[in-house]
Amino acid sequence: SHTIQNLTVKDSYIFGNDMGVGGIVGALRSSEIVNCHNINTMVIGNATNVGGIVGQIGVNKESKVIDSTVKNCTNSGKVETTGADDNNKSAVGGIVGLLVSGSILDCSNFGAVSGIGGCVGGVFGSAHKLSNIVNIERCINKGEISGDFDVGGIVGTSKGQIRSCCNEGQVTGNEDVGGISGGMSNERAE
C-alpha cells in the first residue's frame, strides 16, 4: 500500500488516450490519497476511468481487490472524457473515475464533469465489476455534471453507502439521473 498526500496540480492540462487518467495520478493499485488538489487543471480523456484526482484506484494487475481511501481532496478543474467501454460506460468523476473498494471521504468537486457514456458523477463515476462496498461520506459537488445514463451529482453508479453528502450542481442526462446518485446497487443513502 502507498500514500500520496499534500500535492497540488494547478493551471495545467492533462490528456490521456487509454484507461486511467487523473489530475494527480492516472491509476493506483492500492493506496491512500490524502489532501490532494486539482486547481483549474483540465483533465481530458479519450478513455474510461477519468478523475479530477485519480482515474482508477483499488485493483492490482491480477484483479485482486484492495481497499483504498481518497480523503480531503478537491477538484476545481474541468474533467471530461470522450471514451467509453463496450457497455458505453465512461466512469468519470470530479474526484475519482473508478474505485474498486474503499472510501471517498470529505472531498469536494467544483469543476464541470462530463462523459459521452454512462457512470458520470460529481465526486465518483463508477464502481468496478469486482467491487466490494464503496463508502462515500461528507462529500460535496458544486460543478455541472452531464452524461448519458447513470449520472449523479455525487455518484454515477456504485455499490455501498452514501452519507452526509450534498449536491448543488446541475445534473443532466438521458436515463437514471439523480441529484445524489444516478444508479444504485445495494446502496444506502443518508
Side-chain angles (χ1 to χ4, degrees):
S1 179
H2 302 89
T3 298
I4 296 175
Q5 63 185 5
N6 304 327
L7 294 176
T8 298
V9 174
K10 184 176 181 181
D11 299 326
S12 298
Y13 177 85
I14 297 169
F15 174 83
N17 217 9
D18 201 355
M19 188 175 4
V21 180
I24 299 293
V25 61
L28 282 174
R29 302 304 172 209
S30 68
S31 356
E32 182 177 58
I33 301 175
V34 180
N35 197 35
C36 290
H37 309 282
N38 172 355
I39 300 173
N40 298 324
T41 292
M42 291 179 60
V43 180
I44 309 296
N46 184 22
T48 60
N49 308 346
V50 178
I53 298 297
V54 58
Q56 64 185 38
I57 184 171
V59 65
N60 67 16
K61 290 182 180 180
E62 293 78 36
S63 295
K64 180 180 177 188
V65 175
I66 303 164
D67 276 354
S68 298
T69 301
V70 179
K71 184 174 181 178
N72 295 328
C73 294
T74 61
N75 171 59
S76 62
K78 178 180 181 180
V79 182
E80 172 184 304
T81 186
T82 57
D85 66 13
D86 293 341
N87 296 314
N88 199 31
K89 293 181 180 179
S90 294
V92 58
I95 302 296
V96 178
L98 180 135
L99 171 63
V100 178
S101 183
S103 301
I104 302 171
L105 309 171
D106 305 302
C107 293
S108 300
N109 176 61
F110 303 95
V113 180
S114 64
I116 62 163
C119 307
V120 180
V123 172
F124 172 46
S126 178
H128 190 272
K129 62 185 177 183
L130 300 173
S131 285
N132 291 329
I133 299 300
V134 173
N135 295 307
I136 298 128
E137 298 183 24
R138 300 174 305 277
C139 292
I140 296 169
N141 173 61
K142 293 187 178 188
E144 288 187 22
I145 313 303
S146 63
D148 185 18
F149 64 92
D150 289 339
V151 183
I154 300 295
V155 174
T157 185
S158 179
K159 299 187 236 187
Q161 299 182 68
I162 303 169
R163 293 183 179 168
S164 303
C165 293
C166 176
N167 174 53
E168 296 179 16
Q170 179 178 327
V171 181
T172 58
N174 295 314
E175 184 179 344
D176 297 330
V177 179
I180 297 294
S181 182
M184 299 178 77
S185 173
N186 301 318
E187 276 189 69
R188 190 171 97 195
E190 295 178 0

